[in-house]
Amino acid sequence: MVSQVRILLCGPVGSGKSSFINSVNTVLQGRNTTDALADSIGGVSFTVKFKTYKLKKDRVGSFFPFVFSDTMGMEAEISHGIQTNDIISILQGHVQEGYTFNPLTEQTDKQRECDQIPSPDDKVHCLVSILPADKISMMPQSVICEMRKVRQKARDLDIPQVVIMTRVDATCPLVSKDLKMIYRSKKIRDKIEECSNRLGVTKNYIFPVKNYSEEITTNTNVDILILMAMTNIVNFANDFVERECQ
């Protein structure tokens, strides 16, 4: 068995991976948090090292039974962004905490040998692809292809997969005014359809959310969408662990 399920976040630069971690933590803590440093400008990845985030519970030294693995963003330029094979190595537990991603070259065989027999805790139990709803149409096909390569490897390992679709408020004015309208918005439904068609994930595994980005206090409507997504992610990860233990 594992002591916690590991959730790997991957996606293009500026999609909101680190912000999603902070948003989940904000919901659980009931206050503004900033454990995972995020960048509001974008352009290049703000995350450069492989890092695991544990989220604290109310008691000192107590944590929720899941962790997030954050990665460098994916980019169309070959000399920028994370190497796809590094993400695949993370899926299998072969990347050590604190590893610095190199956009020009993937992890070497010698580096992988340092963690040749990963523990069950080191392996990924759910792959979460992050895509910004307002930029799906403009996403370079090369980035989508690399994301699909990661998905295919996760499939080969039987790892469950979901998509978190961020920036819904920037996509639809109706939703920006009232987040409760998210599942009534034609624009959001169209973006879920487009996301499904481009990435190959069925629509019932695509969760539209709004990350906390400008709010300094919590918002119930934001919280509900994030908790709904996280409930499914943790359930899928638990199901995977149970299957692996049979």
Side-chain angles (χ1 to χ4, degrees), residues 92-141:
Q92 301 171 90
H94 288 300
V95 175
Q96 293 185 324
E97 181 74 7
Y99 169 73
T100 300
F101 298 110
N102 185 342
L104 298 176
T105 181
E106 64 190 66
Q107 190 185 45
T108 64
D109 290 339
K110 184 176 181 180
Q111 288 169 319
R112 290 192 190 96
E113 286 172 3
C114 292
D115 201 4
Q116 198 166 22
I117 307 177
S119 71
D121 279 358
D122 295 327
K123 297 178 181 179
V124 170
H125 307 112
C126 187
L127 170 66
V128 177
S129 301
I130 311 282
L131 279 176
D134 61 329
K135 298 177 181 177
I136 291 174
S137 300
M138 300 177 287
M139 197 64 60
Q141 186 59 31

Side-chain angles (χ1 to χ4, degrees), residues 9-15 17 43-45 47 71-78 80-85 87-88 127-131 139-140 142-151 199:
L9 306 183
C10 75
V13 168
S15 57
K17 298 180 295 299
V44 295
S45 183
T47 301
T71 59
M72 188 180 212
M74 306 173 80
E75 296 192 44
E77 294 281 342
I78 296 176
H80 296 78
I82 191 171
Q83 292 280 324
T84 302
N85 282 338
I87 303 177
I88 290 172
L127 170 66
V128 177
S129 301
I130 311 282
L131 279 176
M139 197 64 60
S142 58
V143 172
I144 296 295
C145 287
E146 293 307 304
M147 292 181 73
R148 287 184 63 89
K149 284 181 185 178
V150 175
R151 287 197 62 240
L199 206 54

Side-chain angles (χ1 to χ4, degrees), residues 11-241:
V13 168
S15 57
K17 298 180 295 299
S18 299
S19 293
F20 181 68
I21 295 173
N22 287 333
S23 295
V24 173
N25 202 19
T26 292
V27 175
L28 297 177
Q29 305 302 327
R31 60 174 178 81
N32 205 3
T33 63
T34 180
D35 282 11
L37 295 179
D39 185 27
S40 64
I41 298 175
V44 295
S45 183
F46 201 62
T47 301
V48 295
K49 292 186 177 182
F50 178 61
K51 188 169 182 179
T52 298
Y53 291 93
K54 295 181 178 181
L55 306 189
K56 294 183 295 184
K57 297 180 80 171
D58 50 0
R59 295 198 318 273
V60 176
S62 179
F63 298 90
F64 284 93
F66 60 85
V67 297
F68 287 111
S69 290
D70 198 11
T71 59
M72 188 180 212
M74 306 173 80
E75 296 192 44
E77 294 281 342
I78 296 176
S79 59
H80 296 78
I82 191 171
Q83 292 280 324
T84 302
N85 282 338
D86 279 350
I87 303 177
I88 290 172
S89 293
I90 293 170
L91 288 174
Q92 301 171 90
H94 288 300
V95 175
Q96 293 185 324
E97 181 74 7
Y99 169 73
T100 300
F101 298 110
N102 185 342
L104 298 176
T105 181
E106 64 190 66
Q107 190 185 45
T108 64
D109 290 339
K110 184 176 181 180
Q111 288 169 319
R112 290 192 190 96
E113 286 172 3
C114 292
D115 201 4
Q116 198 166 22
I117 307 177
S119 71
D121 279 358
D122 295 327
K123 297 178 181 179
V124 170
H125 307 112
C126 187
L127 170 66
V128 177
S129 301
I130 311 282
L131 279 176
D134 61 329
K135 298 177 181 177
I136 291 174
S137 300
M138 300 177 287
M139 197 64 60
Q141 186 59 31
S142 58
V143 172
I144 296 295
C145 287
E146 293 307 304
M147 292 181 73
R148 287 184 63 89
K149 284 181 185 178
V150 175
R151 287 197 62 240
Q152 289 164 0
K153 183 59 180 181
R155 174 205 62 195
D156 295 342
L157 297 169
D158 293 324
I159 296 172
Q161 308 170 36
V162 305
V163 173
I164 294 295
M165 197 173 73
T166 59
R167 294 179 57 84
V168 292
D169 54 318
T171 305
C172 176
L174 180 68
V175 172
S176 181
K177 290 180 181 178
D178 185 359
L179 203 55
K180 294 193 295 293
M181 302 298 291
I182 191 166
Y183 283 104
R184 300 183 188 180
S185 166
K186 184 179 184 302
K187 284 189 177 181
I188 298 301
R189 288 199 303 269
D190 289 345
K191 288 300 180 181
I192 291 174
E193 181 80 32
E194 184 177 9
C195 180
S196 176
N197 291 338
R198 294 204 71 185
L199 206 54
V201 177
T202 57
K203 289 183 284 187
N204 57 322
Y205 298 121
I206 300 173
F207 299 94
V209 304
K210 179 193 181 308
N211 283 335
Y212 278 104
S213 57
E214 56 189 8
E215 303 84 354
I216 58 174
T217 58
T218 57
N219 179 292
T220 301
N221 295 323
V222 175
D223 292 356
I224 288 171
L225 293 174
I226 291 172
L227 286 173
M228 185 163 57
M230 280 305 301
T231 298
N232 280 272
I233 289 169
V234 172
N235 283 341
F236 296 154
N238 280 334
D239 291 344
F240 171 71
V241 171

